[in-house]
Amino acid sequence: MSKTISGFSKLSKSKKIDWIVDTYFSNAEDAKTKIKQYWNTNDKLQQLHDEFIENTITNYYLPLGVAPNFLINDKLYTIPMAIEESSVVAAASKAAKFWLARGGFKTTVISTTKIGQVHFMYKGDFKKLESFFNYVKPILIQESEAITKNMTKRGGGILDIELRDKTTEIANYYQLHVSFETLDAMGANFINSCLEQFAKTLKNKALNFDLFSEEEKQIEIVMSILSNYVPDCLVRAEVNCPVEKLSEDSNITGEAFARKFIQAVNIAEIEPFRAVTHNKGVMNGIDAVVLATGNDFRAVEAGVHAYASRNGRYSSLSHAKIENGIFKFWMEIPLALGTVGGLTGLHPLVKLSLEMLHKPSAKELMQIVAVAGLAQNFAALRSLTTTGIQQGHMKMHLMNILNQFEANDIEKTALTKHFETNAVTHNAVIEALKALRD
Ligand code: MEV
């Protein structure tokens, strides 16, 4: 039976586990063993993980795989990917090899601007608010100098502060809409600290602004927070090759492949039901690298999907066409990433992943992540429009099914061989395992 508890966060780790296993598990000892078997034997490493969040009881593992042979702007990369879905790393590796033989991926960073907003309420004359804003703008910048000093020295900082009138949508609602350059940092802490300082200055200076009436002086701050929508922090990734070079075997010509592939992209451009799944395939690649490099995949997901709806209808992130006999497949996506700060200097596997990627700048990481997304999307569309997705997917899923039925190594070897030439379905695997065991 569930029960409430107060002061849980103050309990020691072992007391927290005692409470959890006694409250929720019929076999408390067994539950405790399951929790503890994922503890790291290196106490310092375990403590590091314990302290990432509150109320840690154990670690939750994801595989960290690698996809080699990515040629990006003529430089070779092996891309680390943290993901649980069976076929993703294999698909990425396949796409990397396919494009390695056709000139690789070309990428450019289009822009790197990030956004934050102070949302506030002001009851009064807009003209007076405008005058106040013009007066207070340099003071906002000046009073945040303690926060921005280091970033400015490195070439980043506050780019602009705008006053935005949102009163047609909500009465008395205005914003300070602020743009930032945060260089190699994702910048969330930097942006939020600046915004909270702006909010303080805005509120305080309004109290003494002579043009304001007593009511106008009472600016009410609602909240100050960065936006994860970053349409001006944009990266482009592209592959291209002569159409006839697209064919790898005699089953399908390059022309036929390109035609079907472009049809599939066109469908995702106009049909939201398909676009969501199409983009999910893109995010398979993106999230896996974002996670492996210690970045915030929820922020990236939110921003990317908002971008996919920017024209009023949710649509494909990627595009494809044939131009003068050249097949082109590309994507522009917003990615706010960091290679310094946050988890990047803390998590040993994040450090390892970044080193594997030649210690990239945030701009370089944007390009690598975009490529992982485009590669994943290419691999999915290639399967979907030729063999169908299940063939490759179920082949990779075979090991999961075998593990579910506790197949031993001999059984795994025999059945992997068997399914090289037989279609993998859940039932077929169970039948084959049963036959082998009988
Ligand atoms: C599965 O994780 C991703 C796909 O559904 C993507 C797609 O349909 O394009 C295969």
Side-chain angles (χ1 to χ4, degrees):
M1 240 259 289
S2 282
K3 52 187 179 187
T4 58
I5 179 168
S6 58
F8 183 76
S9 69
K10 305 226 163 47
L11 297 180
S12 68
K13 184 170 161 186
S14 88
K15 287 266 178 297
K16 281 174 189 156
I17 293 170
D18 285 345
W19 185 82
I20 291 283
V21 298
D22 290 342
T23 308
Y24 292 102
F25 296 89
S26 50
N27 187 338
E29 272 318 301
D30 177 61
K32 206 181 264 189
T33 306
K34 282 192 178 121
I35 290 170
K36 287 189 174 178
Q37 71 186 347
Y38 283 93
W39 283 6
N40 201 295
T41 48
N42 176 337
D43 290 345
K44 261 184 101 178
L45 197 58
Q46 186 53 55
Q47 192 184 349
L48 179 74
H49 283 73
D50 287 352
E51 289 173 0
F52 282 148
I53 60 168
E54 188 154 275
N55 297 344
T56 307
I57 55 167
T58 188
N59 307 307
Y60 184 96
Y61 290 174
L62 280 182
L64 178 69
V66 295
N69 297 320
F70 271 97
L71 188 65
I72 307 175
N73 298 339
D74 301 320
K75 189 168 166 183
L76 267 172
Y77 292 87
T78 293
I79 300 188
M81 303 177 91
I83 189 156
E84 86 301 342
E85 191 174 326
S86 349
S87 53
V88 169
V89 176
S93 307
K94 246 177 131 177
K97 224 162 173 197
F98 182 92
W99 286 106
L100 179 69
R102 291 162 181 80
F105 294 79
K106 301 283 175 253
T107 57
T108 38
V109 171
I110 297 167
S111 50
T112 56
T113 303
K114 287 158 191 162
I115 299 296
Q117 298 170 316
V118 178
H119 305 268
F120 67 94
M121 297 293 173
Y122 162 80
K123 282 189 198 148
D125 181 356
F126 180 59
K127 283 266 161 280
K128 285 201 233 169
L129 182 65
E130 266 187 324
S131 307
F132 170 64
F133 173 69
N134 290 332
Y135 148 75
V136 85
K137 188 171 167 177
I139 308 175
L140 293 174
I141 292 172
Q142 195 189 324
E143 292 198 351
S144 60
E145 262 164 18
I147 305 164
T148 59
K149 204 169 58 202
N150 284 341
M151 189 67 87
T152 312
K153 227 189 274 166
R154 295 202 301 271
I158 302 158
L159 300 179
D160 195 17
I161 309 176
E162 286 171 53
L163 172 67
R164 291 199 171 172
D165 179 351
K166 305 293 283 183
T167 52
T168 53
E169 282 145 286
I170 297 179
N172 309 319
Y173 168 40
Y174 297 87
Q175 301 167 344
L176 294 182
H177 184 91
V178 191
S179 43
F180 296 89
E181 170 55 61
T182 61
L183 305 170
D184 283 338
M186 191 270 190
N189 282 333
F190 172 74
I191 293 175
N192 289 335
S193 300
C194 287
L195 294 170
E196 289 188 2
Q197 179 57 51
F198 296 159
K200 266 188 213 148
T201 305
L202 190 78
K203 192 167 171 51
N204 287 341
K205 294 292 167 192
L207 293 173
N208 298 316
F209 190 62
D210 288 343
L211 285 182
F212 279 163
S213 67
E214 281 314 304
E215 188 179 39
E216 287 167 337
K217 282 180 181 171
Q218 302 304 320
I219 283 182
E220 186 196 346
I221 304 294
V222 181
M223 58 189 161
S224 311
I225 187 74
L226 93 168
S227 172
N228 290 124
Y229 186 42
V230 283
D232 291 316
C233 189
L234 214 55
V235 57
R236 179 187 166 93
E238 180 181 320
V239 283
N240 64 63
C241 74
V243 170
E244 65 275 10
K245 293 251 166 74
L246 283 170
S247 179
E248 275 202 312
D249 53 51
S250 53
N251 287 340
I252 185 163
T253 65
E255 283 74 16
F257 173 81
R259 194 175 50 78
K260 273 195 95 175
F261 190 96
I262 293 170
Q263 273 172 350
V265 176
N266 290 344
I267 290 169
E269 282 170 339
I270 60 105
E271 167 54 57
F273 277 94
R274 174 56 202 152
V276 170
T277 317
H278 178 98
N279 291 347
K280 189 272 183 187
V282 172
M283 300 316 285
N284 276 344
I286 290 189
D287 285 345
V289 190
V290 167
L291 207 53
T293 56
N295 277 276
D296 180 346
F297 68 92
R298 286 86 56 210
V300 168
E301 282 276 348
V304 167
H305 294 298
Y307 187 76
S309 330
R310 71 195 177 285
N311 296 322
R313 175 171 66 186
Y314 190 90
S315 179
S316 167
L317 292 161
S318 61
H319 309 281
K321 66 177 174 191
I322 297 173
E323 207 171 59
N324 303 324
I326 304 290
F327 168 81
K328 292 188 177 175
F329 179 50
W330 76 98
M331 181 172 75
E332 282 177 12
I333 52 160
L335 286 174
L337 301 175
T339 53
V340 299
L343 221 55
T344 59
L346 277 179
H347 196 301
L349 289 177
V350 168
K351 288 198 245 178
L352 184 106
S353 295
L354 288 169
E355 192 168 342
M356 199 188 303
L357 291 172
H358 313 294
K359 299 193 177 154
S361 64
K363 275 187 179 176
E364 285 161 342
L365 186 60
M366 284 167 79
Q367 299 172 72
I368 295 163
V369 170
V371 162
L374 192 72
Q376 206 62 46
N377 189 216
F378 178 80
L381 293 181
R382 187 160 178 247
S383 298
L384 286 167
T385 57
T386 56
T387 56
I389 203 76
Q390 282 308 83
Q391 193 188 81
H393 192 78
M394 290 308 286
K395 248 198 178 116
M396 293 308 300
H397 194 52
L398 172 62
M399 206 45 74
N400 286 345
I401 306 174
L402 290 175
N403 280 333
Q404 195 184 335
F405 291 96
E406 295 179 353
N408 61 32
D409 287 347
I410 296 166
E411 289 167 339
K412 280 180 184 170
T413 310
L415 291 179
T416 306
K417 186 142 190 56
H418 171 77
F419 282 106
E420 274 170 14
T421 47
N422 291 282
V424 182
T425 66
H426 199 81
N427 267 349
V429 178
I430 296 171
E431 290 296 316
L433 192 59
K434 199 163 160 273
L436 196 67
R437 285 175 179 174
D438 285 348

